[in-house]
Amino acid sequence: MTPRTPADALALTTSALLRDHDVTDLLYRIVRDSARFTGSSAAGLLVRAPNGAPELLSATSHAAVELELYQAQEREGPCVDLLTTGETVAAVGADTILHRWPTVGPAILRAGFTAVHAYPVSWRDGVLGGINLFRHDERADDTLETAAARSFADMAALVLLQPERLEQHDVADRLERALAGRVIVEQAKGVLAHRLGIDMETAYTTLVDRAAQDRSALSATARTVVEQAYLP
């Protein structure tokens, strides 16, 4: 099945994650789809190796492979900048590319690319790597393309860190933690309903709104509500 939209592509990758899968194949699909749905001509995935050096994981073409390896060798380029700052990188136009990367920039232009973007593959507070998008036409990513690229980068992080196989006891442990979260939410609803004199539906809405306002996880907010109920 050929995905027609970014949502289709992400859904196919998500489905593959739920079955036995090959990490290399899934990463290639993500890199390929990130190029396809952002109108880019090529893409590559560079990550930070355990020794701290940038390493190539996947690319859509030989040209992209060479550019990613050159970045890793020279420790210069969009993905190298991204690994340093953790921020999205964008450079459009020959002058901008040459000014920003005097060593790697000429190679990018010789390959026929006049715009380059890099999106972080993040995990919690750190950056694992970046998806590098190369474009022949001289323009920046628009809002939809940026959103798509970030979604593919997030999916790449999940593929990298999701175990290829979970033992049954691990599955049971995760389900148990999820159920514990549901129980604490139910307890917090009861506390709010009693203290505020409201019905359970309103109590649940109040809890959800409080979590959003505090920028906190729902279970964490629920746990705070329950703990406060036992304070003198």
Side-chain angles (χ1 to χ4, degrees):
M1 174 182 174
T2 301
R4 297 183 179 181
T5 67
D8 289 341
L10 291 167
L12 287 172
T13 302
T14 302
S15 178
L17 272 175
L18 301 178
R19 305 187 301 272
D20 287 339
H21 58 275
D22 180 78
V23 171
T24 300
D25 179 64
L26 286 188
L27 290 176
Y28 171 74
R29 286 197 220 173
I30 289 169
V31 173
R32 177 201 63 196
D33 291 337
S34 67
R36 176 184 297 166
F37 292 110
T38 59
S40 300
S41 308
L45 172 61
L46 209 65
V47 297
R48 195 196 315 272
N51 64 3
E55 294 281 356
L56 174 67
L57 275 190
S58 189
T60 60
S61 67
H62 182 66
V65 168
E66 289 191 323
L67 287 175
E68 297 290 357
L69 291 176
Y70 194 33
Q71 287 186 67
Q73 173 188 315
E74 297 296 328
R75 301 293 181 94
E76 178 190 282
C79 268
V80 175
D81 287 358
L82 180 151
L83 289 174
T84 302
T85 67
E87 301 293 331
T88 299
V89 173
V92 179
D95 291 342
T96 301
I97 291 171
L98 289 173
H99 176 74
R100 188 156 186 174
W101 305 296
T103 301
V104 172
I108 294 174
L109 297 179
R110 284 196 299 272
F113 303 120
T114 55
V116 60
H117 298 76
Y119 293 90
V121 175
S122 304
W123 178 250
R124 298 185 177 177
D125 296 327
V127 176
L128 303 173
I131 290 182
N132 211 163
L133 300 173
F134 301 95
R135 180 174 285 138
H136 290 308
D137 52 325
E138 192 174 316
R139 68 174 182 84
D141 287 345
D142 63 25
T143 302
L144 291 177
E145 289 165 343
T146 296
R150 286 176 175 162
S151 295
F152 286 117
D154 288 344
M155 181 60 75
L158 292 176
V159 170
L160 283 168
L161 297 174
Q162 171 75 19
E164 291 184 62
R165 184 183 298 274
L166 278 177
E167 298 299 330
Q168 192 59 42
H169 64 82
D170 293 322
V171 174
D173 182 59
R174 294 187 183 200
L175 288 174
E176 187 174 340
R177 291 202 301 270
L179 289 170
R182 197 262 313 163
V183 169
I184 198 69
V185 167
E186 291 300 317
Q187 291 174 346
K189 284 164 56 180
V191 169
L192 290 174
H194 176 72
R195 286 198 160 188
L196 301 179
I198 55 180
D199 60 36
M200 294 294 279
E201 182 66 35
T202 305
Y204 183 66
T205 302
T206 301
L207 181 65
V208 171
D209 290 344
R210 187 175 296 185
Q213 182 178 356
D214 295 342
R215 296 183 178 180
S216 174
L218 183 61
S219 60
T221 300
R223 192 168 291 107
T224 299
V225 168
V226 172
E227 289 171 353
Q228 289 174 346
Y230 292 97
L231 292 177

